[in-house]
Amino acid sequence: PTETLYNCIKKYSETLETVTGEKFLQDGAPAAMTAGGIAKRALLCEMYGNDDYRANLRAFKKDHPINAATDLYFKYTHLMRGGTCWINNDYKRQEIIAPVFKIDRNSNYTAEAAEMPDLCGEIRETDINEYFHPLKEYEYICTVDGIKMHARAGVPAFYFNPITGKNPRFINIEEKLTFFKQELDRIAELYEIEYVNITAVFRIVKRENKGIKRYAEKMYNGKNEAKYADEPALYAVYKSLNVCAWGKLAQRADFPTVIHRIDKKTGAIVTITRPCEEEEARPALSIILGAYITMRARLS
């Protein structure tokens, strides 16, 4: 049975190597233990092309720098709000007649990942007036200190309130929230905004998206080809790698390290908790890119 299990793992590893170009069984041990970890390695390999995963990770962080304080700022002002989507292909801002379905469709994320720009370089605070006269080479993010609004007549209450976890028609939030500009612009189309207080505006450079687009197309096309070729195992590999990659963009590692040791004198198990280092508290990739894909999929 042990030999059979090893052969299964070896075969799976070979399939992953065929799909991603990365070697996942190294010296008899897997290079990553979860589908998410595999997807992250494969995505970075597609973006930067190095055989060395750590070299790819360093290249990504160089392109997408963020310090721990900025990371926590966007965390606690809810830039990453999850993927609630309102989908109704017949809905064109007229009165609701057909049913409105609240779903979260994986293909939305892949489509947006393939078409969106890459957000690179440091995110910098800028003048609030620039938010209303944006420069085309930047993506804009703003923080509001309170917002009050209600859904327009005949329009679904699509906005997901991160404080309550609901989609109410009347919203009055007195806490700080951070929005991408295109998200707040879309909200203004479907909601009557009675009050909004923009207190900070940030901008980040938009660049051509090559590696992420390649990854998205490779996984999406591979999944379809495997489906039509009636290869369920290969289909499962493509599907899992496709779905997992986008969530890993916003992966965080801001938790303490807990290890267990056996006391040599007493034989008792000792728990040792070490707080995370500032560098470790940074997201593994980019909370900004993760939130950006989610936001675009949510508005599609």
Side-chain angles (χ1 to χ4, degrees), residues 30-46:
M33 296 300 293
T34 65
I38 292 169
K40 180 176 71 173
R41 296 176 71 98
L43 174 61
L44 293 179
C45 183
E46 202 65 52

Side-chain angles (χ1 to χ4, degrees), residues 47-279:
M47 292 179 72
Y48 295 101
N50 295 311
D51 293 333
D52 182 356
Y53 161 69
R54 294 192 177 278
N56 290 332
L57 186 59
R58 286 193 298 268
F60 184 96
K61 288 191 172 184
K62 183 178 179 181
D63 281 346
H64 308 83
I66 184 170
N67 58 43
T70 303
D71 175 53
L72 289 175
Y73 176 87
F74 288 127
K75 176 184 178 182
Y76 290 117
T77 58
H78 301 283
L79 182 66
M80 190 76 185
R81 285 192 285 274
T84 301
C85 305
W86 286 103
I87 306 295
N88 188 337
N89 293 331
D90 296 326
Y91 176 63
K92 302 292 182 183
R93 289 200 63 187
Q94 68 267 26
E95 185 177 354
I96 302 171
I97 299 174
V100 178
F101 300 98
K102 180 181 177 182
I103 65 173
D104 195 3
R105 198 163 57 190
N106 289 328
S107 59
N108 285 23
Y109 291 81
T110 301
E112 292 301 329
E115 298 303 322
M116 71 180 193
D118 193 2
L119 305 183
C120 296
E122 292 185 10
I123 183 164
R124 298 181 181 275
E125 190 167 0
T126 189
D127 190 271
I128 290 178
N129 289 326
E130 189 177 319
Y131 178 85
F132 300 99
H133 304 281
L135 303 174
K136 64 180 181 180
E137 64 266 32
Y138 296 106
E139 190 67 57
Y140 288 86
I141 300 171
C142 74
T143 297
V144 307
D145 194 358
I147 185 169
K148 186 177 182 180
M149 57 190 178
H150 63 268
R152 298 178 187 273
V155 172
F158 82 94
Y159 177 71
F160 177 76
N161 184 341
I163 310 302
T164 65
K166 298 180 180 179
N167 295 73
R169 295 193 66 78
F170 292 87
I171 296 175
N172 185 14
I173 300 174
E174 298 180 352
E175 300 183 36
K176 288 186 176 181
L177 291 178
T178 299
F179 296 88
F180 287 96
K181 185 180 188 302
Q182 60 183 272
E183 179 183 19
L184 194 54
D185 287 349
R186 178 63 170 153
I187 288 172
E189 291 180 11
L190 302 176
Y191 280 75
E192 188 70 44
I193 298 180
E194 302 172 32
Y195 167 82
V196 60
N197 181 27
I198 297 177
T199 57
V201 172
F202 307 87
R203 69 184 190 186
I204 186 168
V205 174
K206 294 190 293 188
R207 294 181 184 168
E208 186 179 1
N209 164 7
K210 293 183 179 179
I212 300 176
K213 181 181 179 71
R214 280 196 303 269
Y215 181 89
E217 291 179 343
K218 182 177 182 180
M219 297 304 154
Y220 187 78
N221 293 336
K223 183 181 70 170
N224 285 340
E225 290 170 6
K227 179 179 180 179
Y228 291 119
D230 196 23
E231 297 188 43
L234 191 59
Y235 175 85
V237 170
Y238 275 112
K239 183 177 175 63
S240 64
L241 292 181
N242 179 15
V243 172
C244 291
W246 318 128
K248 294 300 278 189
L249 283 171
Q251 176 192 10
R252 306 184 55 82
D254 56 345
F255 46 83
T257 301
V258 180
I259 58 175
H260 301 282
R261 302 284 192 203
I262 296 178
D263 190 297
K264 292 182 179 179
K265 293 182 179 179
T266 65
I269 297 176
V270 180
T271 301
I272 303 172
T273 303
R274 292 187 301 218
C276 60
E277 301 290 336
E278 179 174 337
E279 182 68 17

